[in-house]
Amino acid sequence: MTLWQHLQRFARPTLALAEPAVLLVMTVAFWHHSPPIRDAWVWLLVLALPVFALRLLAYQRLATWSPLLAVWLALLLLTAWNFAAAPLRRADYLVLVCRPLLGVWLALYCVEQVRVRGRFTILLVASAGMGLVAGGLALTATAWNEKSELFRPLLAVLPRPEYRTLLPDMLLSFNANEIAGALAWLCPLLAGIALLPGRDVPARALRLAGAAGFVLTAAALFLGQSRFATGGVLLALLLLCGLWLRGHRRRIALAGLALVLAAQAALTLNLLPGPAGPGPGGGSGLSPRDEVSLSNRGDIWRSALLMLRDHPLTGVGMSMYRSAVRQEPYTIPYYVARDEAPPHAHNEWLQIAADLGLPGLALVLLWQGLMVVGLWRVWQQGRGEVRLLALAVGGGLLAHAVYGLGDAITLWDRYQFLLWWLSGLAAALIWHTRAGRAQP
């Protein structure tokens, strides 16, 4: 055996262990706020050098080229130009962009796992683990607001660990609407994992983990009452059940979704008796809180459009909406009166336009369009569980897109690693199907 073969034999198992470990550590480290904690961990990006060297040694390539990868690299280049050219900017470029850099690496990892192993098992196990953690944290660490008032007796019996004492720097206390955006990505994906075929013990264990994660995330979503997230998940689950299930399983699933939809409509339209009382005018209808929220969204969106009008090529700067909205002419009377500022544009397309201008918006739309077209082709041309996974991944992206119509998790947010993970799963599915077609 030659020296080169010995090196390859060393590189492959080392890479298989080292890369996911490094990505997990970076995901946790970059979750932290800045300043000062995330700033101290940006150096972890340097670990890409030995990991990619191992990949080059083991498989003679750094990454699998695709149109999606081209868009992601273009987006990273745009962030560098934007940081120099936009009217507002953060103090440190890498502290801000380390999360998208990690995200691209996560997506590349997904594709390479499928290319090397030919299976999605490791990625699905990791997805189920994310769902279990996110669902458990959502149920035990969400700061429930008045939208959840009807569920107070149930919420009172949920455990409330002292996360601030156990992990004081992790900020494990969540706004119900914020974490709903993360759950919207995961809930349909976990439903798809719960429907995977297979009778052996590992397959059953994976299905059980997916089902448990689905129950946790769906329960947290419903209790948190994010209208956009819940609507998006219901739509995704309707498509998943209607296109995949057959016979009595489909009828039971659709009946369950109909019941949840009816309950959600009753809650949204204030038809149930509760502390909130009847709707405006003494009858049913949106609660005063929901009416104010919808009215404010119009002002928030208008502010983002003004930012884009004034700075079409750059926006106001990456992650600078909250600062810009305190300045004329972008101020919003509701928040001025309270000496506050909305954290984001409450619409993900307007948010990216305010952050990165028209070039950023165009790249994000291209990114989304490539995934839609690619997953549609997987559904048409794929086989077996690959078609189910295309539905599940597409369902997660769809559910979050509906959420993104009225709320936002920005490209710089701590939850964004989930977008990159689902994008990586989509890219892996697209590559797997294309490679299968290329085989004789």
Side-chain angles (χ1 to χ4, degrees):
M1 185 178 292
T2 66
L3 176 61
W4 179 258
Q5 289 172 324
H6 278 294
L7 289 173
Q8 283 187 316
R9 288 189 64 182
F10 164 79
R12 289 177 180 178
T14 303
L15 179 65
L17 294 173
E19 188 170 20
V22 169
L23 288 172
L24 177 60
V25 169
M26 290 175 66
T27 301
V28 173
F30 292 171
W31 169 275
H32 289 80
H33 60 85
S34 172
I37 299 175
R38 191 164 77 251
D39 310 47
W41 293 103
V42 172
W43 67 267
L44 288 171
L45 291 169
V46 175
L47 295 179
L49 297 177
V51 170
F52 277 78
L54 282 171
R55 184 179 293 169
L56 190 61
L57 178 61
Y59 301 109
Q60 293 79 58
R61 66 172 178 275
L62 293 177
T64 301
W65 185 257
S66 71
L68 276 171
L69 178 55
V71 172
W72 298 334
L73 294 177
L75 187 62
L76 292 177
L77 289 174
L78 179 63
T79 65
W81 176 77
N82 184 274
F83 188 76
L88 301 175
R89 64 179 62 88
R90 296 281 177 171
D92 191 301
Y93 171 76
L94 280 180
V95 172
L96 177 63
V97 181
C98 64
R99 286 171 172 169
L101 286 169
L102 169 63
V104 173
W105 189 356
L106 280 170
L108 293 179
Y109 171 76
C110 290
V111 178
E112 293 308 307
Q113 277 295 303
V114 173
R115 180 163 187 157
V116 169
R117 299 178 181 275
R119 300 189 303 273
F120 291 83
T121 305
I122 291 178
L123 303 181
L124 297 179
V125 169
S127 300
M130 291 178 192
L132 289 169
V133 171
L137 287 174
L139 287 173
T140 59
T142 296
W144 311 104
N145 56 40
E146 59 268 31
K147 290 191 294 183
S148 304
E149 193 65 36
L150 193 64
F151 307 120
R152 285 295 171 187
L154 177 58
L155 299 177
V157 304
L158 291 175
R160 301 293 293 186
E162 292 294 332
Y163 291 120
R164 290 183 180 273
T165 302
L166 296 171
L167 298 166
D169 296 328
M170 288 291 286
L171 297 181
L172 297 181
S173 178
F174 309 119
N175 176 284
N177 289 334
E178 178 192 22
I179 199 168
L183 299 178
W185 273 313
L186 289 170
C187 194
L189 175 61
L190 294 165
I193 293 174
L195 294 173
L196 285 169
R199 296 185 178 182
D200 58 349
V201 173
R204 291 179 178 179
L206 179 58
R207 281 202 304 273
L208 180 61
F214 170 74
V215 170
L216 291 175
T217 55
L221 265 174
F222 191 73
L223 292 174
Q225 283 297 294
S226 168
R227 319 301 196 197
F228 287 96
T230 303
V233 168
L234 286 173
L235 176 59
L237 293 178
L238 178 64
L239 291 174
L240 180 63
C241 294
L243 292 174
W244 187 256
L245 297 179
R246 295 291 182 268
H248 70 280
R249 295 177 71 196
R250 177 195 281 180
R251 291 190 289 272
I252 292 172
L254 292 178
L257 287 175
L259 287 175
V260 175
L261 179 60
Q264 183 60 56
L267 289 166
T268 302
L269 296 176
N270 210 20
L271 300 177
L272 300 177
S284 62
L286 293 178
S287 67
R289 181 197 182 283
D290 284 345
E291 287 196 336
V292 170
S293 178
L294 284 175
S295 174
N296 285 337
R297 272 176 170 77
D299 292 334
I300 293 169
W301 297 338
R302 190 176 304 110
S303 179
L305 287 171
L306 288 174
M307 295 177 195
L308 180 62
R309 180 202 65 182
D310 292 345
H311 307 283
L313 293 180
T314 63
V316 292
M318 297 178 291
S319 194
M320 297 308 299
Y321 178 91
R322 193 169 195 164
S323 298
V325 81
R326 291 182 178 273
Q327 305 173 10
E328 293 291 349
Y330 313 126
T331 57
I332 299 170
Y334 176 86
Y335 291 98
V336 171
R338 289 159 177 76
D339 193 27
E340 298 174 356
H344 47 68
H346 283 74
N347 178 286
E348 290 189 345
W349 293 272
L350 290 177
Q351 178 68 46
I352 200 66
D355 280 343
L356 289 169
L358 291 175
L361 178 61
L363 285 174
V364 167
L365 289 173
L366 181 57
W367 174 3
Q368 294 172 331
L370 287 171
M371 288 196 296
V372 169
V373 172
L375 288 172
W376 172 248
R377 288 176 177 168
V378 174
W379 170 252
Q380 287 185 312
Q381 300 165 1
R383 300 175 183 175
E385 69 177 44
V386 170
R387 300 182 79 228
L388 172 58
L389 291 177
L391 275 179
V393 172
L397 294 169
L398 172 63
H400 186 87
V402 174
Y403 164 86
L405 293 172
D407 221 315
I409 291 180
T410 72
L411 196 61
W412 332 105
D413 191 271
R414 55 185 176 173
Y415 293 108
Q416 266 296 324
F417 74 94
L418 292 172
L419 168 62
W420 291 103
W421 184 257
L422 265 73
S423 297
L425 291 177
L429 285 163
I430 294 167
W431 178 88
H432 185 272
T433 302
R434 186 183 299 123
R437 293 200 315 271
Q439 293 174 355

